[in-house]
Amino acid sequence: MKNRTFFEYVVISLKGIAMGASDVVPGVSGGTIAFISGIYEELLSSINSINLDLLKTLKNEGIKSAWKAVNGNFLVALLLGIGISVVSLAKTISWLLENKPILVWSFFFGLVLASILFVGKQVKKWNVLNIILALLSGFLAYFITTLEPVANDAHSSIFLFFAGALAICAMILPGISGSFILVLLGAYKPILEAIHERNLKIIAIVGAGAIFGLLTFSRVLKWCFNHQRNATLAILTGFIIGSLNKIWPWKKVLSWRENSKGEKVPFLEESISPFHFEGDNQLLFAIGLAFIGFLVILILERISIKKEATVA
């Protein structure tokens, strides 16, 4: 466990807030935010330290040693930020997505676009294999964004458990949005409503599934980073590129559905040119917000570079 000041843990919580906010949006991955904010690999390592050896450490050396082994301060600070964000921003982001969708998607489009450059630069050698892997993962991510969502809002506890497990896998994978996976499964709306209404039963079931998925999938990612770092980063770059289709600001609704409240909501959409968008395309504001999103990533990268230079 690293020795950090209180202010550094506050910064980690702020990064958690950014991760939580992005995970609420169906199309943006909290894993992308973790990666560009420089905490991704530490997060994977911390999660991977939660294993049977940790129980042995707890039994033989006590709580203090086990807490250090699991990087407890880091995880608590990060999870605190994510929790605050999800609980406090869920309603706000839901309202913005319903009432100002073009502006919200534009900001995140610029943010994710810059993330492609950031992640792609981490690949030390772009050989033929890495390019092929990036293309394949990009096509796969694009294909996922075109899938038709499940319409049914009523699901069993077992379904919600595995939905949570699958979503958390996507959330820690840069480029694939966990909340979008929930949309595809038809579980996004009931889970978001459960958060709004403080339905502890559903939250606990989804949370248990998320813990299960997190502890298993993080080990796969950690192995990939340790043994095939360049190939892994190339695949992640492709995933992020492919995901851009989902967060393209201008959409045409192909079909509608009725949700559990009897409201008519978009069911299937396709990306279109802003010049073919029916109504106010808000083009200038959209470009401005996309530029701001792009700048956010550039600023984070500069801060990260300065921090690394100071440490060195």
Side-chain angles (χ1 to χ4, degrees):
M1 187 166 68
K2 295 180 181 180
N3 289 322
R4 288 185 167 104
T5 64
F6 176 77
F7 177 74
E8 287 175 318
Y9 283 118
V10 170
V11 172
I12 290 171
S13 291
L14 291 174
K15 292 177 180 179
I17 288 173
M19 286 178 64
S22 63
D23 276 329
V24 173
V25 179
V28 185
S29 169
T32 303
I33 303 299
F35 197 97
I36 61 181
S37 61
I39 60 172
Y40 189 71
E41 291 189 60
E42 183 177 359
L43 176 59
L44 289 182
S45 295
S46 300
I47 295 169
N48 281 324
S49 64
I50 303 173
N51 49 35
L52 293 176
D53 290 335
L54 181 66
L55 294 177
K56 292 178 182 178
T57 303
L58 179 62
K59 181 181 177 181
N60 299 327
E61 301 177 35
I63 295 175
K64 189 174 181 181
S65 295
W67 187 258
K68 285 184 178 180
V70 81
N71 201 5
N73 291 348
F74 168 81
L75 287 178
V76 167
L78 188 65
L79 291 174
L80 180 65
I82 292 173
I84 290 171
S85 182
V86 171
V87 171
S88 62
L89 296 180
K91 279 188 177 181
T92 302
I93 291 177
S94 295
W95 185 88
L96 287 171
L97 284 171
E98 288 180 12
N99 296 277
K100 304 289 181 181
I102 291 177
L103 301 183
V104 174
W105 292 124
S106 295
F107 173 78
F108 281 108
F109 189 87
L111 188 147
V112 174
L113 192 63
S115 302
I116 295 169
L117 301 178
F118 182 87
V119 178
K121 282 166 62 177
Q122 311 300 314
V123 180
K124 293 182 179 178
K125 187 178 181 182
W126 277 100
N127 53 29
V128 175
L129 175 61
N130 289 338
I131 292 172
I132 291 173
L133 288 173
L135 289 173
L136 289 175
S137 61
F139 282 122
L140 176 61
Y142 176 82
F143 174 71
I144 291 173
T145 66
T146 63
L147 293 176
E148 186 172 309
V150 175
N152 187 16
D153 283 341
H155 299 296
S156 68
S157 297
I158 294 175
F159 175 85
L160 290 172
F161 177 88
F162 284 106
L166 192 58
I168 201 68
C169 291
M171 283 179 182
I172 62 172
L173 185 65
I176 298 294
S177 162
S179 49
F180 178 59
I181 296 299
L182 292 177
V183 170
L184 290 179
L185 296 173
Y188 180 75
K189 194 71 176 180
I191 290 174
L192 200 62
E193 287 175 353
I195 294 172
H196 290 168
E197 298 166 5
R198 306 295 192 267
N199 187 325
L200 298 181
K201 181 183 176 182
I202 291 179
I203 293 172
I205 292 169
V206 175
I211 291 170
F212 172 78
L214 193 62
L215 294 178
T216 52
F217 188 62
S218 63
R219 281 163 174 72
V220 176
L221 280 177
K222 183 64 178 176
W223 185 93
C224 290
F225 269 97
N226 288 340
H227 296 87
Q228 297 292 338
R229 183 178 179 82
N230 277 344
T232 302
L233 288 169
I235 291 170
L236 296 183
T237 303
F239 271 130
I240 300 173
I241 293 172
S243 72
L244 285 174
N245 178 59
K246 173 57 188 172
I247 57 174
W248 179 250
W250 296 276
K251 300 283 187 182
K252 179 182 179 181
V253 179
L254 300 178
S255 60
W256 299 79
R257 72 178 178 90
E258 196 172 279
N259 65 14
S260 57
K261 294 181 178 179
E263 299 168 335
K264 227 181 157 188
V265 294
F267 179 60
L268 195 61
E269 298 175 300
E270 69 173 356
S271 300
I272 60 172
S273 163
F275 302 106
H276 294 144
F277 182 78
E278 293 183 6
D280 185 6
N281 61 20
Q282 300 175 282
L283 188 59
L284 291 179
F285 285 111
I287 292 173
L289 282 168
F291 183 69
I292 291 172
F294 197 93
L295 279 181
V296 167
I297 302 304
L298 293 185
I299 292 169
L300 284 174
E301 183 183 11
R302 288 290 178 89
I303 292 172
S304 177
I305 291 172
K306 285 183 179 179
K307 187 176 180 180
E308 288 176 5
T310 303
V311 172

